[in-house]
Amino acid sequence: MESTLTPQQIFRKRAAGEPLNEGETPQIRRHIINVTLDNSIGALNRVANLFCQRGFNLESVAVGKTDDTSLSRMTLVTAGTTRKVEQVLLQLENLVDTVEVDDVTDLEFVERELCLLKVRYTSKNRSEVMDILDIFKGRVVDITPETMTIEVTGPTKKINAFVGMMEPFGIDELHRSGRVAMRRALVHGS
Amino acid sequence: MSEYSLENLDTPSGDGLPASASSSIVSQETVSQETMTGAEIFVRALDAQGVKYVFGHPGGAVIKIYDEIARIQPRFKHILVRHEQGGTHMAEGYAKATGRVGTVLVTSGPGATNTVTGIADAYMDSVPIVVFTGQVPTHLIGNDAFQETDIIGVTRSITKHSFQVKRVQDLTRTIKEAYHIAKTGRPGPVVVDLPKDILFAEDTFRYPEGVALRGYSTQVNIVETQIALAARMISESKKPLLYVGGGTLNSDAAEELTAFARKTKIPVTTTLHGLSSFPENDPLSLGMLGMHGTWYANQAVQNCDLIIAVGARFDDRVTGKLDAWAPHARVVHIDIDPSCISKNIPVECPILGNVKDVLDMLGPLVEEKDTAEWLGQIDVWREECPLAYEKDDRLRAQGVIEKLREKTDGNAVVVSDVGQHQMWTAQYFKYVHPRSHITSGGLGTMGFCLPAAIGAAFGLRLEGRDDVPVISISGDGGFVMNAQEMSVAAAHRLPIKIIVINNRFLGMVRQWQELFHENRYSHTDLTDTNPDFVKLAEANHVVGLRASTPKELDEAIEKAWSINDGPVLIECQVEKEEMVFPMVPAGAATGDMITERFSHDHDV
């Protein structure tokens, strides 16, 4: 098929990150975007609405206060082709409430996610659960004779691994906060 | 307060110009130490903002504002509309004809939801309007109170921005910001929701001079290297084409564009909203491109080696099948909205900026080009397949448009509705003056035309251009959707020429049914259900005329143009089964145009 494309069509497809040949799938990447927005009524709504309105994918959102009381900060995780994600960023910037939009995916950043997990245990496997918990530096925050509720924080991959380790015991309830991310402040060798 | 006394306030006096300063007791002050109600602050703020017309409809939640309008008689004129949707389209027509911001004032609940279509229309077509909606008192919000609607929620995805005023102290600042956001950058609709208690609360008056919106900047630094790149791409091209959209008119750059095209000898094709930004009697003009564009414009697109997109957004009605569009063209894209650039087609040279500013910078850098060969090729296409329709003694819609063009010599503001007549109005009128063509493009809102024409007529009256006729051209289907606004045109003696192209069909849907759905004319035949348009006009205090032959049309036009103190409606009974050609079927490649009727087994 490639031979039938004009040089301009090839240029456009390359720029859009689309495959040149039929049958190939476009490259989808996950992006982590920090959005600083005015703490005004409806600002959060407008951001969330944008994803629905434009058909963008939204994997997780975490939002909260910042050091400046007039601002909130939000970490969004979205996935898409380069072109789609560019649209996400531009449309976010177009919102009147957004003060800053920062795609940190390709930068040095730290990320954390909080996970609360209620797992079933018995007297036989309790120490096994506790050993795993120790490896993941988790804490028990609530306990009954049948279940314990565990708090674990860390990068998303760590949480995924922890949840995977808990599955065989029987997970009663799982609640994840979504990622929050922050650029690293590089001081040495940057 | 009865509707009647409000109407009296609106009755035009003499030239109908907005109430002069002497008849107003509101001073131009932007600061006042006396306390007043939120409603009075609102009315004074609109005056301080320089608003000239408010298209509105009263109701419970905004009754205090209407009370203040009657009491203090502001400088702006309130126009009582008959349906809130009509009000939003009037604001749009006013904005499009003048470049000013249109203002709408409605009550809560149904008053607010009736504006939704107009807001969506303004959003799609980048029209600056501010819609003030009443709201139930703040303590009742969320209680399902009488006439309560979460209009901010309802309109969230169709507004550029929206506000709900929670404290009377925020009222003037919010109004200032609303107008600023609506007008600047890529224009668009802004909704301001006004809870009733805010309008009764008291405060002093202070209208801010500027706005402080840290998340919204109108500062655009045009990148000089991009301008240089564009100039180089233009000089390297042999077959360049200017593809011009509504952004050119929004930035008042028609003059710059025309000078640029004439200097470089680059042919110009425009989108539906780009019409009137370049004189169509110029040999460089190719008319409109896209689904119902001219065959030669689309041929030029498919064969050119450079497209300079000016304030256009590569809409699907322009491009058809994206992958096959303009396959040989490098692309320069000038636009004010960064999210528009490379949205549909990745471009080699994006230039972010106001069209006018960019053309001012780019103009001096480009040389006069020798495009004679390319223009010669285009002329061959022009002769191969010109815009054409059957010319005989029967009345056809295309003929009506050509007749209106002949009568006015292009010196008119033409407003069209949505459907077949809209495409013929785009194809056959041959626009020469900027902002002389107004229509609903992106949303395709039937019922847009008449109220928009009314808004445009108010705009011309404000600018002292009453001598320029406003021609409202609707189909029989769309006209009835907002026909009630005829009484507004009559009440204000607006000399609008209302043309109803009556083919007794929802013609564009009928056309698609004939072409793509094997002639099953499902619910598109209006023969037995259309109103008597002449009687409908007369019932609304509008002179009604009817024409069913070219000769009758001539007479009707003569008569209509002799009436200058009020609206006239001409019902044109035209051929029933006319089709708009040429046509790129939806989703097809631009090169694959249908230029005439074909049989059903034709491979589409």
Side-chain angles (χ1 to χ4, degrees):
Chain A
M1 285 302 287
E2 190 173 344
S3 58
T4 62
L5 295 176
T6 67
Q8 284 309 318
Q9 287 172 323
I10 293 170
F11 163 80
R12 288 179 202 161
K13 282 188 179 289
R14 287 234 168 92
E18 285 168 8
L20 293 181
N21 301 309
E22 260 178 55
E24 288 176 25
T25 47
Q27 217 190 345
I28 306 282
R29 249 187 104 203
R30 185 167 284 120
H31 284 249
I32 303 173
I33 302 163
N34 274 343
V35 181
T36 309
L37 62 164
D38 248 323
N39 221 346
S40 60
I41 306 156
L44 173 61
N45 272 331
R46 262 187 281 268
V47 172
N49 183 74
L50 181 69
F51 281 78
C52 176
Q53 176 192 350
R54 305 246 167 217
F56 299 147
N57 159 294
L58 184 56
E59 290 191 356
S60 84
V61 192
V63 61
K65 291 178 180 174
T66 66
D67 51 314
D68 181 340
T69 52
S70 67
L71 295 174
S72 331
R73 184 156 298 126
M74 189 180 232
T75 302
L76 300 167
V77 180
T78 184
T81 58
T82 315
R83 188 158 146 214
K84 196 83 176 173
V85 173
E86 253 169 38
Q87 265 296 305
V88 171
L89 297 171
L90 291 168
Q91 295 289 356
L92 281 170
E93 275 166 12
N94 264 359
L95 294 178
V96 173
D97 303 305
T98 54
V99 177
E100 199 188 345
V101 178
D102 192 14
D103 183 355
V104 298
T105 317
D106 294 326
L107 306 170
E108 289 288 330
F109 68 95
V110 283
E111 61 154 317
R112 289 294 179 269
E113 184 172 355
L114 169 71
C115 162
L116 289 174
L117 184 144
K118 197 179 282 167
V119 66
R120 285 190 295 277
Y121 72 96
T122 60
S123 54
K124 280 186 197 145
N125 64 17
R126 196 184 67 132
S127 58
E128 204 185 325
V129 172
M130 293 308 287
D131 283 350
I132 296 170
L133 192 54
D134 193 40
I135 292 167
F136 284 91
K137 295 193 171 60
R139 289 200 306 141
V140 176
V141 290
D142 187 30
I143 192 160
T144 70
E146 287 89 31
T147 65
M148 58 177 107
T149 302
I150 297 164
E151 169 200 320
V152 176
T153 61
T156 295
K157 280 181 184 164
K158 174 182 159 184
I159 307 287
N160 290 346
F162 176 70
V163 173
M165 291 302 287
M166 287 293 114
E167 254 163 14
F169 300 101
I171 297 170
D172 260 9
E173 209 177 324
L174 172 66
H175 197 152
R176 298 172 66 156
S177 66
R179 294 168 166 191
V180 292
M182 190 178 278
R183 281 200 201 204
R184 279 184 195 277
L186 299 175
V187 286
H188 186 70
S190 51
Chain B
M1 151 150 297
S2 78
E3 195 177 278
Y4 232 78
S5 54
L6 278 176
E7 193 61 274
N8 290 343
L9 267 180
D10 281 343
T11 308
S13 51
D15 60 5
L17 281 168
S20 63
S22 60
S23 72
S24 167
I25 60 165
V26 180
S27 72
Q28 268 177 291
E29 272 175 58
T30 55
V31 181
S32 165
Q33 288 311 318
E34 31 169 324
T35 54
M36 57 186 85
T37 63
E40 182 173 351
I41 292 172
F42 173 83
V43 169
R44 285 181 183 247
L46 293 195
D47 268 350
Q49 179 62 37
V51 172
K52 301 298 181 199
Y53 288 104
V54 173
F55 302 98
H57 198 286
V62 289
I63 196 164
K64 186 67 179 163
I65 294 176
Y66 280 85
D67 191 41
E68 295 294 359
I69 290 174
R71 190 177 68 83
I72 62 180
Q73 304 219 352
R75 275 175 292 130
F76 68 76
K77 271 178 75 71
H78 179 274
I79 309 300
L80 177 65
V81 303
R82 294 308 164 96
H83 187 289
E84 290 89 346
Q85 184 192 350
T88 52
H89 295 323
M90 284 180 208
E92 285 187 274
Y94 173 76
K96 287 193 181 200
T98 62
R100 291 165 164 270
V101 180
T103 304
V104 180
L105 172 61
V106 298
T107 192
S108 63
T113 55
N114 278 346
T115 65
V116 167
T117 304
I119 294 170
D121 192 273
Y123 184 68
M124 290 291 269
D125 287 348
S126 311
V127 189
I129 62 171
V130 176
V131 178
F132 295 100
T133 55
Q135 184 53 278
V136 300
T138 44
H139 69 274
L140 284 179
I141 287 176
N143 275 15
D144 299 326
F146 178 65
Q147 293 195 330
E148 178 183 359
T149 299
D150 170 21
I151 196 64
I152 299 292
V154 169
T155 59
R156 190 172 291 127
S157 49
I158 52 170
T159 45
K160 186 171 173 188
H161 196 57
S162 52
F163 299 92
Q164 187 176 62
V165 182
K166 292 276 198 184
R167 305 181 319 151
V168 68
Q169 293 81 1
D170 297 335
L171 188 53
T172 53
R173 179 182 57 77
T174 306
I175 293 169
K176 181 84 185 176
E177 288 174 358
Y179 279 90
H180 177 73
I181 292 169
K183 180 81 180 91
T184 53
R186 179 176 179 182
V190 177
V191 167
V192 182
D193 203 27
L194 304 167
K196 188 169 182 174
D197 52 330
I198 305 301
L199 301 173
F200 283 84
E202 295 202 346
D203 194 23
T204 53
F205 180 79
R206 186 186 159 275
Y207 201 67
E209 278 172 18
V211 294
L213 291 157
R214 57 184 161 177
Y216 182 82
S217 165
T218 53
Q219 270 296 22
V220 180
N221 293 317
I222 299 168
V223 183
E224 279 182 38
T225 50
Q226 293 299 95
I227 300 277
L229 174 61
R232 196 162 68 242
M233 285 167 72
I234 291 168
S235 79
E236 283 166 9
S237 79
K238 299 239 175 331
K239 297 186 283 186
L241 179 67
L242 279 155
Y243 150 47
V244 176
T248 310
L249 293 169
N250 276 344
S251 76
D252 284 322
E255 205 177 302
E256 287 78 1
L257 172 85
T258 306
F260 182 83
R262 285 178 177 161
K263 176 182 175 187
T264 52
K265 301 206 168 43
I266 299 177
V268 180
T269 181
T270 63
T271 67
L272 183 62
H273 282 314
L275 286 172
S276 85
S277 57
F278 185 76
E280 294 196 281
N281 53 10
D282 190 295
L284 288 170
S285 169
L286 304 183
M288 186 169 73
L289 80 168
M291 182 174 272
H292 289 295
T294 62
W295 193 73
Y296 39 94
N298 283 336
Q299 285 299 317
V301 168
Q302 293 306 86
N303 290 282
C304 67
D305 65 2
L306 175 70
I307 281 188
I308 308 153
V310 186
R313 62 186 177 93
F314 300 81
D315 170 73
D316 60 276
R317 285 301 192 255
V318 161
T319 62
K321 190 180 173 197
L322 264 179
D323 279 351
W325 194 70
H328 309 290
R330 302 170 79 186
V331 182
V332 176
H333 188 183
I334 304 167
D335 208 285
I336 189 78
D337 178 1
S339 70
C340 254
I341 295 178
S342 293
K343 181 172 74 177
N344 295 331
I345 289 197
V347 303
E348 189 176 338
C349 178
I351 303 178
L352 187 63
N354 190 339
V355 169
K356 196 187 185 97
D357 301 338
V358 173
L359 289 180
D360 277 342
M361 286 170 75
L362 184 58
L365 296 187
V366 291
E367 305 280 307
E368 197 175 304
K369 282 186 74 70
D370 178 12
T371 53
E373 197 181 323
W374 172 229
L375 293 175
Q377 171 65 62
I378 288 171
D379 283 338
V380 172
W381 289 322
R382 242 190 248 270
E383 276 167 39
E384 257 172 34
C385 189
L387 280 178
Y389 62 97
E390 220 176 304
K391 293 187 184 175
D392 50 23
D393 56 355
R394 288 184 286 184
L395 190 62
R396 293 176 195 276
Q398 301 95 317
V400 175
I401 309 297
E402 287 196 319
K403 184 62 76 182
L404 293 166
R405 175 66 171 82
E406 193 185 304
K407 175 70 189 171
T408 59
D409 201 23
N411 192 22
V413 172
V414 177
V415 188
S416 65
D417 210 67
V418 172
Q420 287 187 312
H421 75 277
Q422 178 189 32
M423 293 299 110
W424 288 317
T425 304
Q427 291 175 336
Y428 287 96
F429 194 84
K430 309 292 174 209
Y431 301 88
V432 284
H433 301 296
R435 294 188 183 275
S436 63
H437 174 257
I438 294 170
T439 196
S440 164
L443 197 67
T445 308
M446 286 171 72
F448 169 87
C449 177
L450 175 65
I454 292 170
F458 278 117
L460 295 190
R461 183 176 275 184
L462 175 73
E463 293 180 345
R465 292 161 62 205
D466 292 51
D467 54 320
V468 178
V470 174
I471 309 176
S472 151
I473 305 176
S474 307
D476 48 319
F479 181 72
V480 295
M481 287 197 184
N482 269 319
Q484 76 283 348
E485 304 303 335
M486 268 194 290
S487 60
V488 177
H492 296 275
R493 304 202 179 92
L494 298 171
I496 302 174
K497 315 303 176 199
I498 303 167
I499 312 294
V500 179
I501 306 281
N502 182 5
N503 64 353
R504 280 97 65 214
F505 255 118
L506 297 171
M508 189 58 98
V509 184
R510 198 206 70 84
Q511 174 164 343
W512 283 49
Q513 287 171 337
E514 178 178 332
L515 290 174
F516 313 119
H517 299 277
E518 295 165 342
N519 293 30
R520 280 184 297 276
Y521 299 129
S522 181
H523 296 267
T524 44
D525 190 342
L526 306 176
T527 311
D528 301 326
T529 51
N530 261 342
D532 179 325
F533 288 100
V534 172
K535 282 188 185 158
L536 185 64
E538 286 166 353
N540 284 284
H541 320 291
V542 172
V543 177
L545 305 169
R546 182 175 288 129
S548 49
T549 63
K551 187 167 171 291
E552 285 174 17
L553 178 66
D554 286 342
E555 291 163 9
I557 285 178
E558 282 315 310
K559 179 143 190 227
W561 257 257
S562 70
I563 298 170
N564 290 312
D565 59 349
V568 185
L569 179 145
I570 306 176
E571 180 200 354
C572 302
Q573 296 186 327
V574 299
E575 279 303 294
K576 225 174 162 169
E577 296 180 343
E578 202 73 6
M579 304 261 262
V580 182
F581 286 124
M583 178 183 192
V584 181
T590 298
D592 300 334
M593 287 199 97
I594 308 172
T595 53
E596 57 190 5
R597 265 199 167 94
F598 53 73
S599 60
H600 307 309
D601 54 7
H602 189 285
D603 183 22
V604 187

